[in-house]
Amino acid sequence: MAGREDGARQWMTGAGEHAGWAAELLDHLRPAGRDVRRVVTWLASAAHAAVSLQDGTGRLLAGTRARLDEDLVADLTSGRIASAALEDRGRHLRLVRVERVHPATAAVLAVAREAPFDRRASDIVTHTAQVVELLLAGHESTAAGHRLRRATSDLRLAILQLLMVEDTVSARRVAAGLWPGLLDTEEACVYVVESRAEERDDLAEECLSATGERALVVRCPAMDGHVIVLTPGDAAGEELRSLVGRLPGVFLGGSARQSLARTATAYGQAVSALAVARFRPDKAAVYAERTRPERLMDPAALHAWTVRLLSPLDVLPHHTRAELLATTRLGLEFTAVNTAKILGVSRNTVRARMDRVESLLRTDFTDLTVRATVHLALNAQAALAEHPVGGGAARSGPACLDELLAGAALRTWADGLLGRLEPDARNLRRTLRTWIAVGGNAERAAQPLGVHAQTVREHVRSAEPVLERELLAAGSDLYEVVLAHLAAGDLDRPSLYGTKPGHPDSPVHG
């Protein structure tokens, strides 16, 4: 038995004799050639031997499996000896301990050949063991780094998902360990940064670098090209704008400031703003830059109507009600598949929760006017939970949707928005109205219009930049346009069923 050389002897001692194999071995340390298996294969060829690299449990890491004495392997991996040389049934065997960063137990490089080991073969084995050690250390460090980054990324997503279902207490508790103070705030903004899907990982790193530890940066689980950034401060927003400005093909949508409990609402706003950003020269837009229809409604009437419309859910336990409302709010914004990815549940769970809400409200979510009005109620409910209507403004009696939509400010807004479509000779307003009335189905809209379904889609797509809203993807943008049609009198009011005091089974229209 012999200890490993202390390393004082230099690699290129006897350079003239060993320059050939040493140069070949060093090539394996170049970035393009760092592969332990290739090094072991090279050693087998250079030493005219059978080579095995295995860990302390006997797992083969590279080369061909060899029968080794278990006690000898244990002595090597435990560090009691550094190397061993022996002859076994006509085989000449060299075993060398190879240190590892992770796991703690070392590996064993075993080289067996028929001829005795001369100085050249011994030197090749010794130096190859050093190269293998370096490569294993680099690989394991890289792998550990990847695992750490993946775990951190998963943790960021988990925090976002907790915020999406309004569980701010748990979100703060999870975030406190790694990002102290990040969620020590009542309000935050959500930004969505968009790039091509294949560039998303690089974009996420750019966002992390730009915002440092002052923001929650998450790779969107639903949209492959999106990075979600939640930030309590304004500085991160400016840094993201600057980042987007210098990166081609990258766009930024931002929300208005919302409480952490309304993260789902803020996310929807950011996605809506992103649709506007695609038409902006600076490639960035913020949702607060445009008027929201609910802000043009009488707050007291909106509060009374919302409470009445959502009253069938009041019989549920608080946590169940909150879960159903949060899921439905997102489910009205996105597809069931994407909602499931955002919340970290199955799409069947999303559909089951929304079906339950649909059943309790006794309505039909395939009707776009129903979806728009329920979406309005859900957002108003979340907003009013934070900023309750004052006692002086509270109403004693119920309100109806007709009353909400009859306000002069809302009617002016609706006429101004839809009026943008009038100059187009294709009568985009009629196409859009017909398309909404049949649930956003181009084939069904094409029949009364007497055109092809593709023409309907082209008209709707043409209306998007004019209205600065994304219409073909259901969400806040589309629901605002639906509300504008309702306020302008272009569509029939939806039939929504709630509960009137004293008349639990009576229908309530609007």
Side-chain angles (χ1 to χ4, degrees), residues 373-507:
T373 48
V374 172
H375 181 266
L376 170 67
L378 292 175
N379 283 338
Q381 182 265 345
L384 291 167
E386 299 170 33
H387 307 290
V389 176
R395 295 169 54 102
S396 58
C400 65
L401 184 60
D402 283 341
E403 182 180 349
L404 293 179
L405 299 176
L410 186 66
R411 181 61 183 266
T412 300
W413 166 81
D415 290 340
L417 178 65
L418 300 179
R420 301 180 194 176
L421 302 172
E422 297 293 350
D424 197 299
R426 293 172 291 178
N427 203 342
L428 298 183
R429 184 167 179 172
R430 183 186 66 171
T431 301
L432 189 56
R433 178 178 66 247
T434 306
W435 178 76
I436 291 172
V438 296
N441 186 294
E443 284 74 16
R444 290 171 58 196
Q447 296 176 5
L449 291 172
V451 298
H452 193 276
Q454 185 58 33
T455 302
V456 174
R457 296 187 190 95
E458 290 173 358
H459 284 195
V460 175
R461 194 173 289 111
S462 296
E464 289 184 329
V466 178
L467 299 177
E468 292 188 327
R469 284 161 174 82
E470 195 171 18
L471 304 176
L472 290 172
S476 296
D477 283 6
L478 175 59
Y479 300 144
E480 285 188 5
V481 174
V482 173
L483 288 175
H485 279 85
L486 290 171
D490 288 2
L491 289 172
D492 293 334
R493 302 285 194 266
S495 292
L496 301 172
Y497 292 83
T499 301
K500 283 184 177 179
H503 301 280
D505 298 319
S506 61

Side-chain angles (χ1 to χ4, degrees), residues 236-255:
E238 292 303 316
E239 289 160 349
L240 290 174
R241 281 180 177 271
S242 175
L243 174 66
V244 168
R246 65 176 184 270
L247 294 177
V250 177
F251 302 91
L252 175 69
S255 74

Side-chain angles (χ1 to χ4, degrees), residues 11 16 18 26 77 90-91 108 114 132-133 151 162 222 231 234 248 287 319 330 366 387-388 473 479 490 496:
W11 268 68
H18 305 312
L26 286 171
T77 55
R91 290 189 313 161
V108 173
E114 296 180 358
V132 168
E133 195 169 274
L162 288 169
T231 173
D234 297 328
Y287 190 78
H319 72 279
L330 278 174
T366 62
H387 307 290
Y479 300 144
D490 288 2
L496 301 172

